[in-house]
């Protein structure tokens, strides 16, 4: 069996691996033959790697039709794939660091932790070829699968490598969520941010408040395209995840070393909750009992009342959320909260006076800080969109200790947060909002925003150059955001997300040079094989040559923005 790698020979090409590894080398002189998986191949799962072995049998075993039976010590050392933990890798590369070594005798997948072994197993799977990304053998007669004689040692650049899926605007059924968890794992991404609530729908069962899904989970019709479009889909749209669905999703993600971060949006983007429970709104300003779930995509003036009963309501909601999502972070939105109703509300103005606040911005800061402290008392951390920085520190405002910022309006919010001592996740809309169009042509379906090509995403840099060395350490990583106003089903989500997610995965995983120096031609060469993997996985990605006829949506109005996006 291959042993721990010694000094590495000259690097070799990355064999189509995405994201690109830090180091790869030939394990046999002259690039000799590697190892062949066959009916006799066994998996030896050393202590702590048993779940990875189960995943390999469920994926590689299913695609190849090979049993990949457990190894028994009496069977000797020949013809096997060994999974094991290596404390030295953890010391040198961190818990997610891993090494895959293949030669003529077999393969060893080592990691600094079980997570590292799992990412090594993803590399191992890619080395076997695109057919291994299918769910069953295409050629049942094929009984041998060749691996190249190759060593790979790797570790991620960032700890937060995420994708935000907006399941509130258009509900994505559970099987689609599972599919995206598998797609994240295949790209070594480790955070799935689920945008669960908004003006257009509430998607999470809260047992204490059943009307959140019974009423707030459905809208009578849906705007087709941009908000200025005259077209409507007259069908009711809705759906939600039960609490058991969420437990299943979270467990499925955890087996793939992915954390699910829930988002419960407050105090804006709360129209569905107000439609279900009108007392949550500013009833001294507007007849909240007449409000329904929003059917179009405009900013909603109907925001939460800053009353004590609203705070208690959302504390009760979050009690159930914490039971379902065991991760550290809970996202509470905090973005795009119009203040007009608070300005007109005697109750809101009284709250501002009682708290000694200066204005409505400070009232929102107080609102967010309340829940940041509430989460902190329970061992969790708040994360919110960069508007949560607004409002100053008067009256005890400002972010709660440990709160983090997702910088979406550009880089400025992340820079300000890092300089103020807060952790940051970079997701600037001008760079990594995948609802933005991929080309300038008329064939792009419901074109939104700036043109962001595969190459543009490949050249995205999460760490702003303005940050000093200590401040750069505040950047936890980055995530791409997929807002689904004009994405009615998984095929549309696939089209907007892929292939750009592959480039994003490389940006947040690999140790790349500065953006202008990155070799896009080399990346494109590796993508040729990766497209075949996406085909095998059934992903309806945008082809490099432009959309298929069935991917176009003629007559559906978008909102394209011309020119290069600003760096703000």
């Amino acid at each position: 069996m291959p042993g721990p790698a010694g000094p590495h020979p000259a690097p070799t090409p990355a064999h189509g691996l995405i994201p690109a590894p830090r180091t790869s080398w030939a394990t046999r002189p002259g690039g000799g033959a590697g190892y062949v998986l066959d009916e006799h191949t066994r998996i030896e799962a050393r202590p702590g790697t048993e779940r990875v072995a189960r995943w390999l049998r469920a994926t590689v075993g299913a695609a190849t039709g090979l049993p990949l039976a457990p190894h028994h010590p009496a069977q000797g050392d020949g013809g096997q794939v060994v999974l094991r933990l290596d404390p030295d890798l953890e010391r040198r590369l961190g818990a997610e660091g891993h090494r895959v070594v293949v030669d003529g005798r077999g393969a060893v997948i080592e990691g600094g932790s079980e997570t590292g072994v799992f990412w090594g197993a993803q590399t191992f799977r890619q080395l076997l070829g695109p057919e291994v990304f299918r769910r069953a053998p295409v050629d049942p007669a094929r009984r041998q699968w060749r691996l190249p004689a190759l060593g790979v040692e790797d570790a991620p650049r960032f700890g937060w490598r995420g994708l935000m899926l907006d399941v509130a605007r258009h509900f994505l059924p559970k099987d689609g969520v599972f599919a995206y968890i598998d797609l994240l794992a295949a790209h070594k991404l480790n955070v799935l941010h689920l945008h669960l609530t908004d003006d257009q729908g509430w998607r999470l069962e809260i047992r204490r408040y059943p009307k959140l899904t019974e009423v707030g989970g459905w809208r009578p019709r849906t705007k087709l395209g941009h908000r200025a479009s005259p077209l409507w889909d007259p069908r009711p749209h809705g759906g939600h995840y039960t609490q058991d669905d969420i437990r299943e999703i979270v467990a499925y993600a955890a087996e793939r070393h992915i954390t699910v971060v829930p988002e419960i949006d407050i105090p804006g983007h709360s129209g569905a909750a107000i439609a279900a429970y009108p007392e949550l709104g500013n009833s001294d300003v507007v007849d909240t009992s007449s409000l329904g779930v929003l059917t179009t995509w405009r900013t909603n003036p109907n925001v939460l009342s800053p009353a004590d009963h609203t705070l208690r309501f959302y504390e009760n909601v979050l009690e159930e959320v914490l039971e379902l999502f065991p991760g550290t972070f809970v996202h509470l939105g905090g973005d795009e909260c119009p203040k007009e109703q608070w300005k007109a509300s005697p109750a809101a103005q009284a709250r501002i006076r009682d708290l000694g606040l200066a204005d409505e911005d400070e009232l929102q800061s107080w609102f967010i800080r309340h829940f940041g402290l509430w989460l902190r008392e329970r061992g969790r951390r708040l994360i919110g969109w960069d508007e949560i920085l607004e409002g100053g520190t008067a009256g005890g405002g400002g972010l709660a200790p440990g709160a983090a910022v997702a910088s979406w309006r550009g880089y400025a919010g992340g820079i300000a947060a890092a300089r103020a001592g807060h952790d940051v996740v970079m997701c600037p809309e001008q760079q990594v909002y995948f609802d933005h169009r991929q080309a300038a042509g008329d064939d792009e379906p419901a074109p939104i925003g700036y043109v962001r090509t595969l190459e543009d995403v490949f050249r995205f840099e999460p760490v702003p150059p303005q940050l000093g060395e200590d401040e750069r350490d505040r950047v936890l990583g980055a995530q791409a955001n997929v807002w689904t106003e004009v994405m009615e089903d998984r095929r549309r989500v696939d089209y907007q997300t892929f292939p750009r997610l592959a480039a994003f995965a490389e940006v947040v995983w690999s140790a790349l040079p500065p953006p202008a120096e990155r070799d896009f031609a080399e990346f494109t060469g590796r993508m040729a094989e990766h497209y075949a993997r996406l085909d095998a996985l059934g992903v309806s990605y945008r082809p490099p040559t432009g959309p298929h006829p069935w991917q176009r949506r003629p007559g559906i109005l978008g909102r394209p923005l011309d020119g290069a996006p600003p760096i703000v």
Side-chain angles (χ1 to χ4, degrees):
M1 290 300 301
H8 300 161
T12 66
H15 285 269
L17 295 176
I18 288 180
R22 290 191 181 192
T23 308
S24 62
W25 66 95
T27 58
R28 305 194 73 180
Y35 176 58
V36 176
L37 266 67
D38 59 23
E39 293 177 337
H40 304 292
T41 300
R42 301 178 299 277
I43 295 180
E44 180 183 351
R46 303 276 177 88
T49 69
E50 295 85 357
R51 288 199 307 174
V52 182
R54 183 167 67 244
W55 179 86
L56 276 171
R57 291 190 185 96
T59 53
V60 173
T64 61
L66 301 177
L68 301 179
H71 169 76
H72 300 289
Q75 294 171 309
D77 290 335
Q80 59 183 304
V81 176
V82 175
L83 311 178
R84 64 191 181 202
L85 304 180
D86 183 347
D88 178 63
L89 277 173
E90 184 175 19
R91 284 192 295 269
R92 291 193 298 109
L93 298 176
E96 295 187 274
H98 58 269
R99 180 169 51 231
V100 180
V101 180
V102 181
D103 64 15
R105 297 171 294 164
V108 172
I109 304 172
E110 301 171 298
S113 67
E114 184 193 37
T115 302
V117 175
F118 181 74
W119 300 136
Q122 295 292 345
T123 297
F124 175 85
R125 185 189 190 190
Q126 287 197 19
L127 291 174
L128 281 165
E131 297 88 347
V132 176
F133 286 77
R134 296 188 180 274
R135 297 191 181 198
V138 175
D139 179 7
R142 180 178 177 183
R143 308 310 293 165
Q144 293 189 332
W145 297 76
R146 185 173 299 278
L147 286 158
L150 185 71
V152 172
E153 190 168 278
D154 206 3
R157 179 185 179 192
F158 293 109
W160 186 300
R161 307 181 301 278
L163 178 73
M164 190 285 300
L165 274 180
D166 170 17
V167 297
R169 270 55 175 272
H170 278 98
F171 179 62
L172 184 67
K174 185 174 64 173
D175 61 341
V177 178
F178 291 144
Y180 264 83
I181 290 170
D182 284 332
L183 287 167
L184 263 63
H187 292 82
K188 298 180 182 173
L189 299 173
N190 66 347
V191 175
L192 175 62
H193 169 180
L194 286 180
H195 182 76
L196 290 163
T197 73
D198 214 298
D199 296 309
Q200 295 84 8
W202 184 288
R203 307 295 175 214
L204 175 65
E205 177 191 20
I206 300 298
R207 291 176 175 167
R208 184 162 182 165
Y209 302 117
K211 288 194 290 185
L212 285 172
T213 49
E214 292 171 0
V215 176
W218 292 89
R219 59 177 181 263
R221 63 175 185 167
T222 298
K223 175 67 70 174
L224 284 178
H226 181 251
R227 67 177 72 101
S229 168
L231 302 178
W232 293 88
D233 181 343
R235 299 172 297 175
H237 178 85
H240 72 275
Y241 309 110
T242 68
Q243 294 203 359
D244 283 346
D245 289 337
I246 291 296
R247 291 186 181 94
E248 183 183 6
I249 287 168
V250 168
Y252 190 87
E255 286 249 339
R256 288 147 184 83
H257 299 268
I258 293 168
T259 299
V260 182
V261 174
E263 181 179 356
I264 306 296
D265 217 333
I266 58 171
H269 288 287
S270 301
I274 295 170
Y277 292 92
E279 63 270 23
L280 298 174
N282 296 283
S283 56
D284 57 346
V285 176
V286 64
D287 178 11
T288 54
S289 64
S290 68
L291 301 177
V293 178
L294 204 63
T295 59
T296 188
W297 314 121
R298 63 177 172 83
T299 301
N300 193 350
N302 300 303
V303 302
L304 296 175
S305 164
D308 285 341
H309 67 262
T310 305
L311 301 181
R312 300 293 88 77
F313 182 99
Y314 275 89
E315 287 173 1
N316 292 335
V317 167
L318 289 172
E319 288 283 3
E320 297 191 30
V321 169
L322 296 190
E323 291 177 2
L324 297 170
F325 297 92
T328 300
F329 285 98
V330 176
H331 201 298
L332 292 184
D335 63 315
E336 297 181 327
C337 178
K339 308 298 194 300
E340 285 74 18
Q341 288 187 358
W342 287 354
K343 291 177 181 178
S345 164
Q349 292 302 308
R351 179 67 106 178
I352 289 173
R353 290 192 300 272
D354 291 346
L355 293 171
L357 304 178
D359 54 23
E360 293 75 23
D361 285 340
E362 288 193 3
L363 181 62
Q364 178 174 340
S365 178
W366 166 83
F367 200 105
I368 294 295
R369 181 179 173 84
H370 171 89
F371 288 101
L373 294 172
W374 187 92
L375 288 169
R376 181 179 172 87
E377 289 171 358
R378 289 153 181 80
R380 305 296 185 92
R381 294 178 65 184
L382 179 148
I383 184 169
W385 304 115
D386 54 57
E387 287 97 328
I388 67 174
L389 289 165
E390 299 171 357
T393 59
L399 293 187
V405 170
S407 188
W408 77 272
R409 290 180 293 179
Y411 289 99
I415 293 169
R419 288 176 173 171
H422 295 285
D423 289 338
V424 176
V425 174
M426 283 295 184
C427 48
E429 67 166 326
Q430 302 87 353
Q431 312 298 325
V432 289
Y433 266 36
F434 285 174
D435 49 315
H436 284 212
R437 57 195 173 132
Q438 301 186 64
D442 293 336
D443 288 339
E444 292 304 305
I448 300 294
Y450 295 102
V451 172
R452 292 288 82 192
T453 65
L454 182 68
E455 181 172 359
D456 291 329
V457 176
F458 179 69
R459 299 193 189 281
F460 165 58
E461 173 50 50
V463 180
Q466 298 95 320
L467 293 180
E469 185 173 349
D470 292 341
E471 295 164 344
R472 287 196 292 269
D473 291 340
R474 287 290 184 181
V475 179
L476 302 177
Q479 69 181 33
N481 291 343
V482 183
W483 299 102
T484 62
E485 288 96 333
V486 296
M487 301 179 215
E488 69 278 6
D489 55 28
R490 188 195 151 187
R491 290 176 106 191
R492 282 285 292 122
V493 174
D494 281 1
Y495 179 89
Q496 294 297 136
T497 305
F498 289 96
R500 293 185 292 186
L501 192 68
F504 176 81
E506 185 139 321
V507 165
V508 293
W509 178 279
S510 304
L512 298 178
E517 300 173 21
R518 295 174 189 173
D519 190 344
F520 182 67
E522 188 275 338
F523 173 76
T524 302
R526 284 184 283 120
M527 278 299 298
E529 183 168 354
H530 200 66
Y531 284 119
R533 296 183 190 120
L534 297 178
D535 286 331
L537 287 164
V539 177
S540 298
Y541 60 85
R542 182 190 189 275
T545 54
H548 295 295
W550 57 264
Q551 292 174 319
R552 302 168 189 162
R553 300 180 75 201
I556 304 296
L557 183 68
R559 187 180 63 92
L561 299 174
D562 295 327
I567 304 299
V568 294

